[in-house]
Amino acid sequence: MKNSLTILLILLVSFSGFSQTSETDSISKAKIKELAFMVGNWKGNGWMMGRNGKSEFEQTEKIEFKLDSTAILIEGKGISNGKVVHNALAILTYNKTHENYTFRSYLPSGMNAEFRAEIIENKLYWYPNDNVRYIIWKNEQEKWYEKGEYKRGENWIQFFEMTLDKI
């Protein structure tokens, strides 16, 4: 009898430990919905400054709500002269405990990192570090517009730009 009770207790604890709540986090969902302008399939062009000067590329972005709209999955690919120059996957979420957005990026090389993100005047800012930022918004022509900037002294200097149409 004692063994049966022990086994039953272990099973109960195991099942309750692995069970998930089916309730959606309404705060995270509301915060992620503020980024609805990003969701969709996008295609267009961009440029970036590198060691060899300015290079142009063609870009696609596939962006979807996930997990009952509490996360956004971003899949981007850039091609220049027939070669992939950008290939990344990112997950954008809201952490209600810390009251901030997080932008986690993954590369085919195995590199990944989590970055700070925020919304300022209907634009998504995400920061790979304190001196680099990317800003994404929908412009007046309803196009995805993104620019990258680095900080030199007190000035922000643009090194990246991308304009995409919804397809």
Side-chain angles (χ1 to χ4, degrees):
M1 180 72 170
K2 185 177 178 183
N3 284 340
S4 296
L5 190 56
T6 302
I7 291 172
L8 182 62
L9 185 59
I10 290 172
L11 286 174
L12 269 171
V13 169
S14 295
F15 284 124
S16 67
F18 290 114
S19 67
Q20 294 182 346
T21 178
S22 62
E23 200 172 304
T24 297
D25 177 3
S26 61
I27 294 170
S28 294
K29 185 173 184 171
K31 289 294 192 176
I32 290 298
K33 284 286 195 171
E34 291 179 24
L35 297 165
F37 71 89
M38 295 174 59
V39 174
N41 293 317
W42 301 85
K43 185 175 184 177
N45 301 306
W47 61 266
M48 62 184 145
M49 294 301 290
R51 291 180 209 163
N52 300 325
K54 188 176 185 178
S55 63
E56 296 183 359
F57 58 90
E58 295 177 4
Q59 182 76 18
T60 58
E61 296 280 346
K62 180 180 178 184
I63 302 172
E64 304 172 313
F65 284 121
K66 294 292 185 180
L67 302 173
D68 195 20
S69 299
T70 60
I72 291 179
L73 180 65
I74 303 168
E75 192 173 358
K77 185 180 265 188
I79 298 175
S80 179
N81 298 320
K83 290 180 64 177
V84 175
V85 294
H86 171 74
N87 191 10
L89 182 74
I91 300 170
L92 186 57
T93 58
Y94 184 78
N95 183 326
K96 70 180 182 180
T97 304
H98 298 298
E99 298 181 342
N100 68 335
Y101 291 91
T102 55
F103 187 98
R104 178 165 280 284
S105 178
Y106 300 86
L107 301 175
S109 65
M111 292 177 58
N112 70 82
E114 187 170 284
F115 307 112
R116 182 174 63 90
E118 62 185 338
I119 296 176
I120 301 172
E121 297 177 357
N122 299 316
K123 297 176 182 178
L124 174 67
Y125 286 68
W126 66 276
Y127 307 89
N129 62 52
D130 291 338
N131 295 311
V132 176
R133 68 183 180 188
Y134 289 88
I135 309 164
I136 303 168
W137 71 95
K138 194 185 263 187
N139 70 16
E140 300 80 29
Q141 293 82 36
E142 297 296 307
K143 295 177 184 244
W144 168 300
Y145 184 77
E146 181 173 356
K147 68 179 178 176
E149 301 173 321
Y150 67 91
K151 192 171 189 179
R152 182 179 290 157
E154 294 301 312
N155 299 315
W156 287 97
I157 300 164
Q158 186 174 353
F159 66 89
F160 173 90
E161 183 175 292
M162 190 166 70
T163 306
L164 309 175
D165 292 302
K166 203 165 198 176
I167 54 174

